[in-house]
PDB file of all heavy atoms in Angstrom:
ATOM      1  N   ARG A 437       0.475  -4.164  17.652  1.00 95.00           N
ATOM      2  CA  ARG A 437       0.503  -5.616  17.875  1.00 95.00           C
ATOM      3  C   ARG A 437      -0.714  -6.300  17.261  1.00 95.00           C
ATOM      4  O   ARG A 437      -0.622  -7.399  16.740  1.00 95.00           O
ATOM      5  CB  ARG A 437       0.617  -5.913  19.370  1.00 95.00           C
ATOM      6  CG  ARG A 437       2.023  -5.509  19.788  1.00 95.00           C
ATOM      7  CD  ARG A 437       2.404  -5.766  21.206  1.00 95.00           C
ATOM      8  NE  ARG A 437       3.763  -5.182  21.365  1.00 95.00           N
ATOM      9  CZ  ARG A 437       4.354  -4.945  22.502  1.00 95.00           C
ATOM     10  NH1 ARG A 437       3.758  -5.238  23.622  1.00 95.00           N
ATOM     11  NH2 ARG A 437       5.561  -4.431  22.545  1.00 95.00           N
ATOM     12  N   LEU A 438      -1.853  -5.598  17.312  1.00 96.00           N
ATOM     13  CA  LEU A 438      -3.090  -6.189  16.804  1.00 96.00           C
ATOM     14  C   LEU A 438      -3.212  -6.046  15.280  1.00 96.00           C
ATOM     15  O   LEU A 438      -3.940  -6.791  14.632  1.00 96.00           O
ATOM     16  CB  LEU A 438      -4.288  -5.497  17.486  1.00 96.00           C
ATOM     17  CG  LEU A 438      -5.609  -6.245  17.456  1.00 96.00           C
ATOM     18  CD1 LEU A 438      -5.513  -7.499  18.331  1.00 96.00           C
ATOM     19  CD2 LEU A 438      -6.741  -5.343  17.947  1.00 96.00           C
ATOM     20  N   GLY A 439      -2.494  -5.061  14.730  1.00 96.00           N
ATOM     21  CA  GLY A 439      -2.588  -4.828  13.284  1.00 96.00           C
ATOM     22  C   GLY A 439      -3.789  -3.998  12.887  1.00 96.00           C
ATOM     23  O   GLY A 439      -4.154  -3.929  11.717  1.00 96.00           O
ATOM     24  N   GLN A 440      -4.438  -3.365  13.846  1.00 97.00           N
ATOM     25  CA  GLN A 440      -5.512  -2.421  13.531  1.00 97.00           C
ATOM     26  C   GLN A 440      -5.604  -1.359  14.614  1.00 97.00           C
ATOM     27  O   GLN A 440      -5.132  -1.560  15.737  1.00 97.00           O
ATOM     28  CB  GLN A 440      -6.850  -3.140  13.366  1.00 97.00           C
ATOM     29  CG  GLN A 440      -7.347  -3.781  14.638  1.00 97.00           C
ATOM     30  CD  GLN A 440      -8.594  -4.616  14.379  1.00 97.00           C
ATOM     31  OE1 GLN A 440      -8.594  -5.489  13.522  1.00 97.00           O
ATOM     32  NE2 GLN A 440      -9.647  -4.361  15.133  1.00 97.00           N
ATOM     33  N   ILE A 441      -6.212  -0.223  14.257  1.00 97.00           N
ATOM     34  CA  ILE A 441      -6.247   0.905  15.185  1.00 97.00           C
ATOM     35  C   ILE A 441      -7.119   0.571  16.394  1.00 97.00           C
ATOM     36  O   ILE A 441      -8.285   0.212  16.244  1.00 97.00           O
ATOM     37  CB  ILE A 441      -6.775   2.176  14.487  1.00 97.00           C
ATOM     38  CG1 ILE A 441      -5.840   2.572  13.333  1.00 97.00           C
ATOM     39  CG2 ILE A 441      -6.903   3.329  15.493  1.00 97.00           C
ATOM     40  CD1 ILE A 441      -6.339   3.735  12.482  1.00 97.00           C
ATOM     41  N   VAL A 442      -6.519   0.670  17.582  1.00 95.00           N
ATOM     42  CA  VAL A 442      -7.245   0.438  18.831  1.00 95.00           C
ATOM     43  C   VAL A 442      -7.556   1.794  19.455  1.00 95.00           C
ATOM     44  O   VAL A 442      -6.683   2.648  19.561  1.00 95.00           O
ATOM     45  CB  VAL A 442      -6.377  -0.396  19.818  1.00 95.00           C
ATOM     46  CG1 VAL A 442      -7.030  -0.480  21.188  1.00 95.00           C
ATOM     47  CG2 VAL A 442      -6.116  -1.777  19.241  1.00 95.00           C
ATOM     48  N   LYS A 443      -8.815   1.992  19.849  1.00 95.00           N
ATOM     49  CA  LYS A 443      -9.213   3.250  20.490  1.00 95.00           C
ATOM     50  C   LYS A 443      -9.370   3.043  21.985  1.00 95.00           C
ATOM     51  O   LYS A 443      -9.968   2.055  22.412  1.00 95.00           O
ATOM     52  CB  LYS A 443     -10.532   3.746  19.877  1.00 95.00           C
ATOM     53  CG  LYS A 443     -10.943   5.100  20.404  1.00 95.00           C
ATOM     54  CD  LYS A 443     -12.158   5.670  19.674  1.00 95.00           C
ATOM     55  CE  LYS A 443     -12.515   7.011  20.291  1.00 95.00           C
ATOM     56  NZ  LYS A 443     -13.680   7.633  19.674  1.00 95.00           N
ATOM     57  N   ILE A 444      -8.819   3.955  22.775  1.00 93.00           N
ATOM     58  CA  ILE A 444      -8.903   3.852  24.240  1.00 93.00           C
ATOM     59  C   ILE A 444      -9.568   5.102  24.808  1.00 93.00           C
ATOM     60  O   ILE A 444      -9.739   6.096  24.109  1.00 93.00           O
ATOM     61  CB  ILE A 444      -7.489   3.705  24.866  1.00 93.00           C
ATOM     62  CG1 ILE A 444      -6.613   4.910  24.469  1.00 93.00           C
ATOM     63  CG2 ILE A 444      -6.824   2.409  24.432  1.00 93.00           C
ATOM     64  CD1 ILE A 444      -5.319   5.013  25.244  1.00 93.00           C
ATOM     65  N   ASP A 445      -9.947   5.065  26.090  1.00 90.00           N
ATOM     66  CA  ASP A 445     -10.426   6.275  26.766  1.00 90.00           C
ATOM     67  C   ASP A 445      -9.254   7.235  26.925  1.00 90.00           C
ATOM     68  O   ASP A 445      -8.108   6.793  27.001  1.00 90.00           O
ATOM     69  CB  ASP A 445     -10.987   5.924  28.149  1.00 90.00           C
ATOM     70  CG  ASP A 445     -12.296   5.160  28.043  1.00 90.00           C
ATOM     71  OD1 ASP A 445     -12.956   5.267  26.986  1.00 90.00           O
ATOM     72  OD2 ASP A 445     -12.644   4.437  29.001  1.00 90.00           O
ATOM     73  N   THR A 446      -9.553   8.526  27.013  1.00 87.00           N
ATOM     74  CA  THR A 446      -8.491   9.510  27.197  1.00 87.00           C
ATOM     75  C   THR A 446      -7.643   9.131  28.409  1.00 87.00           C
ATOM     76  O   THR A 446      -8.150   9.038  29.527  1.00 87.00           O
ATOM     77  CB  THR A 446      -9.089  10.914  27.412  1.00 87.00           C
ATOM     78  OG1 THR A 446      -9.880  11.226  26.272  1.00 87.00           O
ATOM     79  CG2 THR A 446      -7.992  11.960  27.569  1.00 87.00           C
ATOM     80  N   PRO A 447      -6.346   8.837  28.194  1.00 89.00           N
ATOM     81  CA  PRO A 447      -5.525   8.334  29.297  1.00 89.00           C
ATOM     82  C   PRO A 447      -5.190   9.411  30.324  1.00 89.00           C
ATOM     83  O   PRO A 447      -5.073  10.585  29.986  1.00 89.00           O
ATOM     84  CB  PRO A 447      -4.250   7.856  28.593  1.00 89.00           C
ATOM     85  CG  PRO A 447      -4.208   8.582  27.298  1.00 89.00           C
ATOM     86  CD  PRO A 447      -5.616   8.897  26.916  1.00 89.00           C
ATOM     87  N   LYS A 448      -5.044   8.991  31.570  1.00 92.00           N
ATOM     88  CA  LYS A 448      -4.635   9.901  32.652  1.00 92.00           C
ATOM     89  C   LYS A 448      -3.124   9.849  32.763  1.00 92.00           C
ATOM     90  O   LYS A 448      -2.559   8.890  33.293  1.00 92.00           O
ATOM     91  CB  LYS A 448      -5.254   9.434  33.975  1.00 92.00           C
ATOM     92  CG  LYS A 448      -6.680   9.882  34.173  1.00 92.00           C
ATOM     93  CD  LYS A 448      -6.979  10.025  35.673  1.00 92.00           C
ATOM     94  CE  LYS A 448      -8.314  10.708  35.894  1.00 92.00           C
ATOM     95  NZ  LYS A 448      -9.444   9.868  35.438  1.00 92.00           N
ATOM     96  N   THR A 449      -2.470  10.884  32.296  1.00 92.00           N
ATOM     97  CA  THR A 449      -1.011  10.956  32.356  1.00 92.00           C
ATOM     98  C   THR A 449      -0.597  12.416  32.341  1.00 92.00           C
ATOM     99  O   THR A 449      -1.341  13.265  31.841  1.00 92.00           O
ATOM    100  CB  THR A 449      -0.373  10.228  31.139  1.00 92.00           C
ATOM    101  OG1 THR A 449       1.013  10.608  31.042  1.00 92.00           O
ATOM    102  CG2 THR A 449      -1.038  10.605  29.829  1.00 92.00           C
TER     103      THR A 449
END
Side-chain angles (χ1 to χ4, degrees):
R437 290 183 185 165
L438 200 68
Q440 65 187 54
I441 298 174
V442 172
K443 185 173 179 181
I444 58 168
D445 290 338
T446 301
K448 278 209 170 67
T449 165

